[in-house]
Amino acid sequence: MSRVVVVGSTNTDMTVRVPRIPAPGETVLGREFQITGGGKGANQAVAAARAGGRVVFVTAVGMDDLGERALAGLRREGIDIHLVRRVSGPSGVALIFVDDAGENSIAVAAGANAELRPEHVEPLEQILEPGDVVLLQLEIPMATVEATVRVAVKQQARVILNPAPAQALPDVLMHSVSLVTPNELEVEHLTGVTVNDEIALTRAADVLHGRGISTVIVTLGPRGVFASHEGRSEMVRAFRVQAVDSTAAGDVFNGALAVALVERRTLADAVRFGSAAGALSVTRMGAQASAPHREEIEAFLRDT
């Protein structure tokens, strides 16, 4: 069975529930406080594992208690972490506010994530096979992202890039990525197109197609998901749920999407599977903790 290989960040999330996100200079009295596993890479790896995938995760953590706790959590999920690097200095940390509408504001200190180097992904050449899916984000150095893509292309693995946090991407990278999954703010950053309707989404997707990407998927939160592939586009409706915390919803979507693509589902089915996982995640607090298991996703799809 093919695998999902995630290369990316690992953080410890420190989350405070607040009635509203503080404005600059404002102090807001919060309520619950949680310390949980996070980081876009780790979130996606956990989401993929819970969605039924065989997952290999490449990341870097510090020689500290937060790093030990992060690795213990990944092991409990059955994730292959033999390529994880331990580096000197602190592990990554994210400070998160979540308001009563489920919206969030996040600040990240990269810590060990900034030390994940191109040479650390070279061993992937020995394990990647055609049919595997490599899932990447942008909370690690760009040189490491580029090195991972080169190895994946050489080994004929499919590459999904979740371009978050948004930043400029070199053309050579774009031409090697199979599928890109920005949200609406990230796609605007990448293309310069304001995506306020489906026509604008199609225009933005065409910009990315013109840069060499065959499949563009834009996540739109409660508006759904826009998918464009081989000259055809489709808006996939969002599932209606009561959101309590949107943290990591995009990560959960990407992890489940990767599993569905490894299983050779159609793009439409893969997007629906990922959307169901993401919808379930926003009904729960936390990042990795909110990722649903496969039986939950399948039950949700049957009942919706």
Coordinates of all heavy atoms in Angstrom, one line a residue, residues 6-99:
V6 N 4.8 13.1 4.9 CA 4.6 14.5 5.2 C 6.0 15.0 5.6 O 6.7 14.4 6.5 CB 3.6 14.6 6.4 CG1 3.4 16.1 6.7 CG2 2.3 14.0 6.0
V7 N 6.3 16.1 5.1 CA 7.6 16.8 5.5 C 7.2 18.2 5.9 O 6.6 19.0 5.1 CB 8.6 16.9 4.3 CG1 9.8 17.7 4.7 CG2 8.9 15.6 3.7
G8 N 7.4 18.5 7.2 CA 7.0 19.8 7.7 C 7.3 20.1 9.1 O 8.1 19.4 9.8
S9 N 6.5 21.0 9.7 CA 6.8 21.5 11.0 C 6.1 20.7 12.1 O 5.1 20.1 11.9 CB 6.3 23.0 11.1 OG 4.9 23.0 10.8
T10 N 6.7 20.8 13.3 CA 6.1 20.3 14.5 C 6.1 21.4 15.6 O 7.2 22.0 15.9 CB 6.8 19.1 15.1 OG1 6.8 18.0 14.1 CG2 6.2 18.6 16.4
N11 N 5.0 21.7 16.2 CA 4.9 22.8 17.2 C 4.2 22.2 18.4 O 3.4 21.2 18.3 CB 4.2 24.0 16.8 CG 4.9 24.8 15.7 OD1 6.2 24.8 15.7 ND2 4.2 25.4 14.8
T12 N 4.3 22.9 19.6 CA 3.4 22.7 20.7 C 2.5 23.9 20.7 O 3.0 25.1 20.7 CB 4.2 22.7 22.0 OG1 5.1 21.5 22.0 CG2 3.3 22.6 23.2
D13 N 1.2 23.7 20.6 CA 0.2 24.8 20.6 C -0.2 25.1 22.0 O -0.6 24.2 22.8 CB -1.0 24.3 19.8 CG -0.8 24.3 18.3 OD1 0.3 24.7 17.9 OD2 -1.7 23.7 17.6
M14 N -0.2 26.4 22.3 CA -0.7 26.9 23.6 C -1.9 27.8 23.3 O -1.7 28.9 22.7 CB 0.4 27.7 24.3 CG 1.6 26.8 24.7 SD 2.9 27.6 25.7 CE 4.1 26.3 25.8
T15 N -3.1 27.3 23.6 CA -4.3 28.0 23.2 C -5.1 28.5 24.3 O -5.3 27.9 25.4 CB -5.2 26.9 22.4 OG1 -4.4 26.3 21.4 CG2 -6.4 27.5 21.9
V16 N -5.6 29.8 24.1 CA -6.5 30.4 25.1 C -7.9 30.7 24.4 O -7.9 31.3 23.3 CB -5.9 31.7 25.6 CG1 -6.8 32.4 26.6 CG2 -4.5 31.5 26.2
R17 N -8.9 30.3 25.0 CA -10.3 30.7 24.6 C -10.5 32.1 25.0 O -10.4 32.5 26.2 CB -11.4 29.8 25.1 CG -11.5 28.5 24.4 CD -11.8 28.6 22.9 NE -13.1 29.1 22.6 CZ -14.0 28.5 21.9 NH1 -13.8 27.2 21.6 NH2 -15.1 29.1 21.6
V18 N -11.0 33.0 24.1 CA -11.3 34.4 24.4 C -12.6 34.8 23.8 O -13.1 34.2 22.8 CB -10.2 35.3 23.9 CG1 -8.9 35.1 24.6 CG2 -10.0 35.1 22.4
P19 N -13.3 35.8 24.4 CA -14.6 36.2 23.8 C -14.4 36.8 22.4 O -15.3 36.7 21.6 CB -15.1 37.2 24.8 CG -14.0 37.6 25.6 CD -13.0 36.5 25.7
R20 N -13.2 37.5 22.2 CA -12.9 38.1 20.9 C -11.4 38.1 20.8 O -10.7 38.2 21.8 CB -13.5 39.5 20.8 CG -13.0 40.5 21.7 CD -13.6 41.8 21.6 NE -13.0 42.8 22.4 CZ -13.3 43.0 23.7 NH1 -14.2 42.2 24.3 NH2 -12.7 43.9 24.4
I21 N -10.9 38.2 19.6 CA -9.5 38.3 19.3 C -9.0 39.7 19.8 O -9.6 40.7 19.4 CB -9.1 38.1 17.9 CG1 -9.7 36.7 17.4 CG2 -7.6 38.2 17.6 CD1 -9.1 35.5 18.0
P22 N -8.0 39.8 20.6 CA -7.5 41.1 21.1 C -7.1 42.0 19.9 O -6.4 41.6 19.0 CB -6.4 40.8 22.0 CG -6.5 39.4 22.4 CD -7.2 38.7 21.2
A23 N -7.4 43.3 20.0 CA -6.9 44.3 19.1 C -5.5 44.7 19.6 O -5.1 44.4 20.7 CB -7.8 45.5 19.1
P24 N -4.7 45.4 18.7 CA -3.4 45.8 19.1 C -3.4 46.7 20.4 O -4.2 47.6 20.5 CB -2.9 46.6 17.9 CG -3.6 46.0 16.8 CD -5.0 45.7 17.3
G25 N -2.6 46.3 21.4 CA -2.6 47.0 22.6 C -3.7 46.6 23.6 O -3.7 47.2 24.8
E26 N -4.6 45.7 23.3 CA -5.7 45.4 24.1 C -5.4 44.1 24.9 O -4.8 43.1 24.3 CB -7.0 45.2 23.3 CG -8.2 44.8 24.1 CD -9.4 44.5 23.3 OE1 -9.3 44.3 22.1 OE2 -10.6 44.5 23.8
T27 N -5.8 44.0 26.1 CA -5.8 42.8 26.9 C -7.2 42.3 27.1 O -8.1 43.0 27.5 CB -5.2 43.1 28.3 OG1 -3.8 43.5 28.2 CG2 -5.2 41.8 29.2
V28 N -7.4 41.0 26.8 CA -8.7 40.4 26.9 C -8.6 39.2 27.9 O -7.7 38.4 27.8 CB -9.2 39.8 25.5 CG1 -10.5 39.0 25.6 CG2 -9.4 41.0 24.5
L29 N -9.6 39.2 28.8 CA -9.6 38.1 29.8 C -10.1 36.8 29.1 O -11.2 36.8 28.5 CB -10.5 38.5 31.0 CG -10.0 39.6 31.9 CD1 -11.0 39.9 33.0 CD2 -8.6 39.2 32.5
G30 N -9.2 35.8 29.1 CA -9.6 34.5 28.5 C -10.2 33.6 29.5 O -10.4 33.8 30.7
R31 N -10.5 32.3 28.9 CA -11.1 31.3 29.8 C -10.2 30.1 29.7 O -9.1 30.1 30.3 CB -12.5 31.0 29.2 CG -13.4 32.2 29.4 CD -14.9 31.8 29.1 NE -15.1 31.4 27.7 CZ -15.3 32.3 26.7 NH1 -15.4 33.6 26.9 NH2 -15.5 31.8 25.5
E32 N -10.6 29.0 29.0 CA -9.8 27.8 29.0 C -8.4 28.0 28.4 O -8.2 28.8 27.5 CB -10.5 26.7 28.2 CG -11.9 26.3 28.8 CD -13.0 27.1 28.1 OE1 -12.7 28.1 27.4 OE2 -14.2 26.8 28.4
F33 N -7.4 27.2 28.9 CA -6.1 27.2 28.4 C -5.7 25.7 28.1 O -5.9 24.9 29.0 CB -5.1 27.8 29.4 CG -3.7 27.7 29.0 CD1 -3.1 28.3 27.9 CD2 -2.8 26.8 29.7 CE1 -1.8 28.2 27.5 CE2 -1.5 26.7 29.4 CZ -1.0 27.3 28.2
Q34 N -5.1 25.5 26.9 CA -4.8 24.1 26.6 C -3.3 24.1 26.0 O -3.0 25.0 25.3 CB -5.7 23.5 25.5 CG -7.1 23.1 26.0 CD -7.9 22.5 24.9 OE1 -7.8 22.9 23.8 NE2 -8.6 21.5 25.3
I35 N -2.6 23.0 26.3 CA -1.3 22.8 25.6 C -1.5 21.5 24.9 O -1.8 20.4 25.5 CB -0.2 22.7 26.7 CG1 0.0 24.0 27.5 CG2 1.1 22.3 26.0 CD1 1.1 23.9 28.5
T36 N -1.4 21.6 23.5 CA -1.6 20.4 22.7 C -0.6 20.3 21.6 O 0.1 21.3 21.3 CB -3.0 20.4 22.1 OG1 -3.2 21.7 21.4 CG2 -4.1 20.3 23.1
G37 N -0.5 19.2 20.9 CA 0.3 19.1 19.7 C -0.1 19.9 18.6 O -1.3 20.0 18.3
G38 N 0.8 20.5 17.8 CA 0.4 21.3 16.6 C 1.6 21.4 15.6 O 2.5 20.5 15.6
G39 N 1.6 22.4 14.8 CA 2.5 22.5 13.7 C 1.8 22.0 12.5 O 1.2 20.9 12.5
K40 N 1.9 22.7 11.4 CA 1.1 22.3 10.2 C 1.5 20.9 9.7 O 0.7 20.1 9.3 CB 1.3 23.3 9.1 CG 0.7 24.7 9.4 CD 0.6 25.6 8.2 CE -0.4 25.1 7.2 NZ -1.8 25.2 7.7
G41 N 2.8 20.6 9.7 CA 3.3 19.3 9.3 C 2.7 18.2 10.2 O 2.2 17.2 9.7
A42 N 2.9 18.4 11.5 CA 2.4 17.3 12.4 C 0.9 17.2 12.4 O 0.4 16.1 12.5 CB 2.9 17.7 13.8
N43 N 0.2 18.3 12.3 CA -1.2 18.3 12.2 C -1.7 17.4 11.0 O -2.6 16.6 11.1 CB -1.8 19.7 12.0 CG -1.6 20.5 13.2 OD1 -1.3 20.1 14.3 ND2 -1.8 21.8 13.1
Q44 N -1.0 17.6 9.8 CA -1.4 16.9 8.6 C -1.0 15.5 8.7 O -1.7 14.6 8.2 CB -0.7 17.6 7.4 CG -1.3 19.0 7.1 CD -0.7 19.7 6.0 OE1 0.1 19.2 5.3 NE2 -1.0 21.0 5.8
A45 N 0.1 15.2 9.4 CA 0.5 13.8 9.5 C -0.5 13.0 10.4 O -0.9 11.9 10.1 CB 1.9 13.7 10.2
V46 N -0.9 13.6 11.5 CA -1.9 13.0 12.4 C -3.2 12.9 11.7 O -3.9 11.8 11.8 CB -2.0 13.8 13.7 CG1 -3.2 13.3 14.5 CG2 -0.8 13.7 14.5
A47 N -3.6 13.9 11.0 CA -4.9 13.8 10.2 C -4.9 12.7 9.2 O -5.8 11.9 9.1 CB -5.2 15.1 9.5
A48 N -3.8 12.5 8.5 CA -3.6 11.4 7.5 C -3.7 10.1 8.2 O -4.3 9.1 7.7 CB -2.4 11.6 6.7
A49 N -2.9 10.0 9.3 CA -2.9 8.7 10.0 C -4.3 8.3 10.5 O -4.7 7.1 10.4 CB -1.9 8.7 11.2
R50 N -5.0 9.2 11.1 CA -6.4 8.9 11.6 C -7.3 8.7 10.5 O -8.3 7.9 10.7 CB -6.8 10.1 12.5 CG -6.1 10.2 13.8 CD -6.7 11.3 14.7 NE -6.0 11.4 16.0 CZ -6.4 12.2 17.0 NH1 -7.5 12.9 16.8 NH2 -5.7 12.2 18.1
A51 N -7.1 9.2 9.3 CA -8.0 9.0 8.2 C -7.7 7.7 7.5 O -8.3 7.3 6.5 CB -7.8 10.1 7.1
G52 N -6.7 6.9 8.0 CA -6.5 5.6 7.5 C -5.2 5.4 6.7 O -5.0 4.3 6.1
G53 N -4.4 6.4 6.6 CA -3.2 6.4 5.8 C -2.0 5.8 6.5 O -1.9 5.8 7.7
R54 N -1.1 5.2 5.7 CA 0.3 4.8 6.2 C 1.1 6.1 6.1 O 1.3 6.6 5.0 CB 0.9 3.7 5.4 CG 0.2 2.3 5.6 CD 0.9 1.3 4.7 NE 2.3 1.2 4.9 CZ 3.3 0.9 4.0 NH1 2.9 0.8 2.7 NH2 4.5 0.8 4.3
V55 N 1.6 6.6 7.2 CA 2.2 7.9 7.2 C 3.7 7.8 7.7 O 4.0 7.2 8.7 CB 1.5 8.9 8.1 CG1 2.1 10.3 8.1 CG2 0.0 9.0 7.7
V56 N 4.6 8.5 6.9 CA 5.9 8.7 7.3 C 6.1 10.2 7.5 O 5.6 11.0 6.6 CB 6.9 8.3 6.2 CG1 8.4 8.6 6.6 CG2 6.8 6.8 6.0
F57 N 6.7 10.7 8.6 CA 6.8 12.1 8.9 C 8.2 12.5 9.1 O 9.0 11.9 9.8 CB 6.0 12.4 10.2 CG 5.9 13.9 10.5 CD1 5.9 14.9 9.5 CD2 5.9 14.3 11.8 CE1 5.8 16.2 9.8 CE2 5.8 15.6 12.2 CZ 5.8 16.6 11.2
V58 N 8.6 13.5 8.3 CA 10.0 14.1 8.4 C 9.8 15.5 9.0 O 9.2 16.4 8.5 CB 10.7 14.2 7.1 CG1 12.1 14.7 7.3 CG2 10.7 12.8 6.4
T59 N 10.5 15.7 10.2 CA 10.4 17.0 10.9 C 11.6 17.2 11.8 O 12.5 16.3 11.8 CB 9.1 17.1 11.7 OG1 8.9 18.4 12.2 CG2 9.1 16.1 12.9
A60 N 11.7 18.3 12.5 CA 12.8 18.5 13.4 C 12.2 19.0 14.7 O 11.3 19.9 14.7 CB 13.8 19.5 12.9
V61 N 12.7 18.5 15.8 CA 12.2 18.9 17.2 C 13.5 19.2 18.0 O 14.6 18.7 17.7 CB 11.3 17.9 17.9 CG1 10.0 17.7 17.1 CG2 12.0 16.6 18.1
G62 N 13.3 20.0 19.0 CA 14.5 20.3 19.9 C 14.8 19.3 20.9 O 14.0 18.3 21.1
M63 N 15.9 19.4 21.6 CA 16.3 18.5 22.7 C 15.7 19.0 24.0 O 16.4 19.3 25.0 CB 17.8 18.5 22.8 CG 18.5 17.9 21.6 SD 18.3 16.1 21.5 CE 19.4 15.7 20.2
D64 N 14.4 19.1 24.0 CA 13.7 19.7 25.2 C 12.5 18.8 25.5 O 12.1 17.9 24.7 CB 13.3 21.1 25.0 CG 12.5 21.4 23.7 OD1 12.0 20.4 23.1 OD2 12.3 22.6 23.4
D65 N 11.8 19.2 26.6 CA 10.6 18.4 27.0 C 9.5 18.5 25.9 O 8.8 17.5 25.7 CB 10.1 18.9 28.3 CG 8.9 18.1 28.8 OD1 9.0 16.8 29.0 OD2 7.8 18.7 29.0
L66 N 9.4 19.7 25.3 CA 8.3 19.8 24.3 C 8.6 18.9 23.1 O 7.6 18.3 22.6 CB 8.2 21.3 23.8 CG 7.8 22.3 24.9 CD1 7.8 23.7 24.3 CD2 6.5 22.0 25.5
G67 N 9.8 18.8 22.7 CA 10.1 17.8 21.7 C 9.8 16.4 22.0 O 9.3 15.6 21.2
E68 N 10.1 16.0 23.2 CA 9.8 14.6 23.7 C 8.3 14.4 23.7 O 7.9 13.3 23.3 CB 10.4 14.4 25.1 CG 11.9 14.4 25.2 CD 12.5 13.1 24.6 OE1 11.7 12.2 24.3 OE2 13.7 13.1 24.5
R69 N 7.6 15.4 24.2 CA 6.1 15.2 24.2 C 5.5 15.1 22.8 O 4.6 14.3 22.5 CB 5.5 16.4 24.9 CG 5.8 16.4 26.4 CD 5.2 17.6 27.1 NE 3.7 17.7 27.0 CZ 3.0 18.6 27.6 NH1 3.5 19.5 28.4 NH2 1.6 18.6 27.4
A70 N 6.1 15.9 21.9 CA 5.6 15.9 20.5 C 5.9 14.5 19.9 O 5.0 13.9 19.2 CB 6.3 17.0 19.7
L71 N 7.1 13.9 20.1 CA 7.4 12.6 19.5 C 6.5 11.5 20.1 O 6.1 10.6 19.4 CB 8.9 12.3 19.7 CG 9.8 13.2 18.9 CD1 11.3 12.8 19.2 CD2 9.6 13.2 17.4
A72 N 6.3 11.6 21.4 CA 5.4 10.6 22.0 C 4.0 10.6 21.4 O 3.4 9.6 21.2 CB 5.4 10.9 23.5
G73 N 3.5 11.8 21.2 CA 2.2 11.9 20.6 C 2.1 11.3 19.2 O 1.2 10.7 18.8
L74 N 3.2 11.6 18.4 CA 3.2 11.0 17.0 C 3.3 9.5 17.1 O 2.7 8.8 16.2 CB 4.4 11.6 16.3 CG 4.4 13.1 16.0 CD1 5.7 13.6 15.5 CD2 3.3 13.4 15.0
R75 N 4.1 9.0 18.0 CA 4.2 7.5 18.1 C 2.8 6.9 18.4 O 2.4 5.9 17.9 CB 5.2 7.1 19.2 CG 6.6 7.4 18.9 CD 7.6 6.8 19.9 NE 8.9 7.3 19.8 CZ 9.4 8.3 20.5 NH1 8.7 8.8 21.4 NH2 10.7 8.6 20.3
R76 N 2.1 7.6 19.3 CA 0.8 7.0 19.7 C -0.2 7.0 18.5 O -1.1 6.1 18.5 CB 0.1 7.9 20.8 CG 0.7 7.7 22.2 CD -0.1 8.3 23.3 NE -0.3 9.8 23.1 CZ 0.6 10.6 23.7 NH1 1.6 10.2 24.4 NH2 0.4 11.9 23.5
E77 N 0.0 7.8 17.5 CA -0.8 7.8 16.3 C -0.4 6.8 15.3 O -1.0 6.6 14.2 CB -0.8 9.2 15.7 CG -1.3 10.3 16.6 CD -2.8 10.2 16.9 OE1 -3.5 9.5 16.2 OE2 -3.3 10.9 17.8
G78 N 0.7 6.0 15.6 CA 1.2 5.0 14.6 C 2.0 5.6 13.5 O 2.1 4.9 12.4
I79 N 2.5 6.8 13.6 CA 3.2 7.4 12.5 C 4.7 7.0 12.5 O 5.3 7.0 13.6 CB 3.1 9.0 12.7 CG1 1.6 9.4 12.5 CG2 4.0 9.7 11.7 CD1 1.4 10.8 12.9
D80 N 5.2 6.7 11.4 CA 6.6 6.4 11.2 C 7.5 7.6 11.4 O 7.4 8.5 10.5 CB 6.9 5.7 9.8 CG 8.3 5.3 9.6 OD1 9.2 5.8 10.3 OD2 8.5 4.5 8.7
I81 N 8.3 7.7 12.5 CA 9.1 8.9 12.7 C 10.6 8.6 12.7 O 11.4 9.4 13.3 CB 8.7 9.6 14.1 CG1 8.8 8.6 15.2 CG2 7.2 10.1 14.0 CD1 8.6 9.2 16.6
H82 N 11.0 7.6 12.0 CA 12.4 7.3 12.0 C 13.3 8.3 11.3 O 14.5 8.3 11.6 CB 12.6 5.9 11.4 CG 12.7 5.8 9.9 ND1 11.6 5.8 9.2 CD2 13.7 5.8 9.1 CE1 11.9 5.7 7.9 NE2 13.2 5.7 7.8
L83 N 12.7 9.2 10.5 CA 13.5 10.2 9.9 C 13.4 11.6 10.6 O 13.9 12.6 10.1 CB 13.0 10.4 8.4 CG 13.3 9.2 7.5 CD1 12.8 9.5 6.1 CD2 14.8 8.9 7.5
V84 N 12.8 11.6 11.8 CA 12.7 12.9 12.5 C 14.1 13.2 13.1 O 14.8 12.4 13.5 CB 11.7 12.7 13.7 CG1 11.8 13.9 14.7 CG2 10.3 12.6 13.2
R85 N 14.4 14.5 13.0 CA 15.7 15.0 13.5 C 15.6 15.7 14.8 O 14.6 16.5 15.1 CB 16.3 16.0 12.5 CG 16.6 15.4 11.1 CD 17.8 14.5 11.2 NE 18.0 13.8 9.9 CZ 19.2 13.4 9.5 NH1 20.2 13.5 10.3 NH2 19.3 12.7 8.4
R86 N 16.5 15.4 15.7 CA 16.6 16.1 17.0 C 17.7 17.1 16.9 O 18.8 16.8 16.5 CB 16.9 15.2 18.2 CG 15.9 14.0 18.4 CD 14.5 14.5 18.7 NE 14.5 15.3 19.9 CZ 14.3 14.9 21.2 NH1 14.2 13.5 21.3 NH2 14.2 15.7 22.2
V87 N 17.4 18.4 17.2 CA 18.4 19.4 17.0 C 18.6 20.2 18.3 O 17.7 20.2 19.2 CB 18.0 20.4 15.9 CG1 17.9 19.6 14.6 CG2 16.7 21.1 16.2
S88 N 19.7 20.9 18.5 CA 19.9 21.7 19.7 C 18.9 22.9 19.6 O 18.5 23.4 18.6 CB 21.3 22.2 19.7 OG 21.6 23.0 18.6
G89 N 18.6 23.5 20.8 CA 17.7 24.6 20.9 C 16.3 24.2 21.1 O 16.0 23.0 21.3
P90 N 15.4 25.1 21.2 CA 14.0 24.8 21.5 C 13.2 24.3 20.4 O 13.5 24.5 19.2 CB 13.4 26.2 21.9 CG 14.2 27.2 21.1 CD 15.6 26.6 21.0
S91 N 12.1 23.5 20.7 CA 11.1 23.1 19.7 C 10.2 24.2 19.3 O 10.2 25.3 20.0 CB 10.3 21.9 20.3 OG 11.1 20.8 20.6
G92 N 9.5 24.0 18.2 CA 8.6 25.1 17.8 C 7.4 25.2 18.7 O 6.9 24.3 19.3
V93 N 6.9 26.5 18.8 CA 5.8 26.8 19.7 C 4.8 27.7 18.9 O 5.2 28.6 18.2 CB 6.2 27.5 21.0 CG1 5.0 28.0 21.8 CG2 7.1 26.6 21.8
A94 N 3.5 27.5 19.1 CA 2.5 28.4 18.5 C 1.6 28.9 19.7 O 1.1 28.1 20.5 CB 1.6 27.7 17.5
L95 N 1.4 30.2 19.7 CA 0.5 30.9 20.7 C -0.8 31.2 19.9 O -0.8 31.9 18.9 CB 1.1 32.1 21.2 CG 2.5 31.9 21.9 CD1 3.1 33.2 22.4 CD2 2.5 30.8 23.0
I96 N -1.9 30.7 20.4 CA -3.2 30.8 19.7 C -4.3 31.4 20.5 O -4.5 31.0 21.7 CB -3.6 29.4 19.2 CG1 -2.5 28.7 18.5 CG2 -4.9 29.4 18.4 CD1 -2.8 27.2 18.1
F97 N -5.0 32.3 19.9 CA -6.3 32.8 20.5 C -7.4 32.2 19.7 O -7.4 32.2 18.5 CB -6.4 34.4 20.4 CG -5.4 35.1 21.3 CD1 -4.6 36.0 20.7 CD2 -5.3 34.9 22.6 CE1 -3.6 36.7 21.5 CE2 -4.4 35.6 23.4 CZ -3.6 36.5 22.8
V98 N -8.5 31.7 20.4 CA -9.7 31.2 19.7 C -10.9 31.9 20.3 O -11.1 31.9 21.5 CB -9.9 29.7 19.8 CG1 -11.1 29.2 19.1 CG2 -8.7 29.0 19.3
D99 N -11.7 32.6 19.4 CA -12.8 33.4 19.9 C -14.1 32.6 19.9 O -14.1 31.4 19.6 CB -13.0 34.7 19.2 CG -13.4 34.5 17.7 OD1 -13.9 33.4 17.4 OD2 -13.4 35.5 17.0

